[in-house]
Amino acid sequence: MAPALLLVPAALASFILAFGTGVEFVRFTSLRPLLGGIPESGGPDARQGWLAALQDRSILAPLAWDLGLLLLFVGQHSLMAAERVKAWTSRYFGVLQRSLYVACTALALQLVMRYWEPVPRGPVLWEAQAEPWATWVPLLCFVLHVISWLLIFSILLVFDYAELMGLKQVYYHVLGLGEPLALKSPRALRLFSHLRHPVCVELLTVLWVVPTLGMDRFLLALLLTLYLGLAHGLDQQDLRYLRAQLQRKLHLLSRPQDGEAE
């Protein structure tokens, strides 16, 4: 039992890292663009054409750097999800395979956020400047971001957050219950094979719905949209299973407790 218990701190460390990275990602994608954490575009340089921008090294250099960071994240996220890599990491890390994947994903995302280079001098696709849009558009974006993040957290709970983070695998291993996926129904396994990102629409809302869409934000939104679209392969059978699971969990949450029933 003692060696098995040593796995618990590793799984908890991975979970804490992922949770902290998630909080930082909310700040990076929502609070900075909505509350002014990124320098505002201004002056004639901000209105230059796209052709001129593509010839400006002061714009191309940070965009190329940001593209490299995004490709690093996408490459890590995809490579470690490949079956051969999962089999290799499972062979050497055992029940910590999922925790390792979560920790590496969090580290890759930390690199993106920490070393991201804004491009305040480049052209913008849209920007709310004139009143009343300068007041109402940021407010509307803020409301949509709050709703999207609440939906994301709710969906993660429905999808068994502990298992997604690798905690449940270690917990089951310590208790000798085996692999959690082995207890899943064939419909659940089919869904997991098709869906690597259960919060696709909500993340797209967060990425695109901003008052000002500059070049670096456009690059971030475009590349992650393409990645999410390629990884999203649900069909009608998966959607019916998702709907049934959501209804079942909502029924369990709304059911009165034993003390209240008495």
Side-chain angles (χ1 to χ4, degrees):
M1 180 63 72
L5 290 177
L6 295 178
L7 301 173
V8 176
L12 286 175
S14 173
F15 169 77
I16 293 172
L17 175 62
F19 185 83
T21 301
V23 173
E24 177 69 14
F25 188 67
V26 173
R27 187 190 70 84
F28 178 76
T29 55
S30 293
L31 297 184
R32 283 210 304 174
L34 294 180
L35 302 181
I38 295 178
E40 295 182 359
S41 58
D45 287 336
R47 296 299 172 191
Q48 65 178 300
W50 286 88
L51 290 178
L54 294 177
Q55 299 173 2
D56 190 338
R57 294 189 62 182
S58 66
I59 294 176
L60 290 180
L63 282 179
W65 175 260
D66 293 341
L67 177 61
L69 292 174
L70 288 173
L71 291 178
L72 173 66
F73 170 74
V74 169
Q76 174 275 325
H77 206 51
S78 300
L79 181 64
M80 293 193 67
E83 291 300 326
R84 287 187 178 182
V85 178
K86 287 171 65 175
W88 183 85
T89 53
S90 296
R91 185 190 317 154
Y92 289 98
F93 294 92
V95 73
L96 289 176
Q97 183 270 330
R98 182 66 187 181
S99 295
L100 177 67
Y101 175 78
V102 169
C104 290
T105 298
L107 289 174
L109 192 54
Q110 284 282 358
L111 288 175
V112 172
M113 296 184 294
R114 188 172 298 272
Y115 296 105
W116 187 261
E117 291 284 347
V119 188
R121 293 184 57 250
V124 295
L125 271 74
W126 63 71
E127 183 176 15
Q129 284 189 322
E131 293 291 349
W133 308 115
T135 299
W136 288 104
V137 170
L139 180 59
L140 177 62
C141 292
F142 178 79
V143 172
L144 290 176
H145 277 232
V146 170
I147 294 174
S148 296
W149 285 117
L150 289 176
L151 287 173
I152 287 172
F153 297 143
S154 301
I155 293 172
L156 290 178
L157 291 177
V158 171
F159 266 78
D160 198 340
Y161 188 69
E163 186 172 337
L164 288 174
M165 295 294 102
L167 289 174
K168 194 172 184 179
Q169 289 85 332
V170 174
Y171 174 74
Y172 272 44
H173 178 76
V174 171
L175 295 182
L177 299 177
E179 172 63 37
L181 280 179
L183 304 177
K184 299 288 184 182
S185 68
R187 296 174 66 191
L189 295 176
R190 183 179 188 276
L191 171 68
F192 294 157
S193 67
H194 290 172
L195 182 66
R196 285 175 50 199
H197 302 279
V199 290
C200 183
V201 176
E202 294 78 12
L203 273 180
L204 293 182
T205 302
V206 169
L207 290 172
W208 288 101
V209 180
V210 287
T212 301
L213 187 69
M215 294 191 72
D216 61 302
R217 181 68 177 209
F218 174 70
L219 176 66
L220 175 71
L222 179 63
L223 195 61
L224 291 185
T225 297
L226 293 174
Y227 180 60
L228 288 171
L230 292 174
H232 190 77
L234 294 183
D235 55 20
Q236 290 298 320
Q237 185 175 343
D238 293 324
L239 293 176
R240 286 195 297 269
Y241 173 75
L242 269 177
R243 190 180 301 114
Q245 289 296 103
L246 179 60
Q247 292 173 351
R248 183 179 68 85
K249 296 207 173 187
L250 289 176
H251 175 70
L252 290 175
L253 291 175
S254 62
R255 189 171 60 184
Q257 301 295 324
D258 294 338
E260 297 176 351
E262 295 175 357

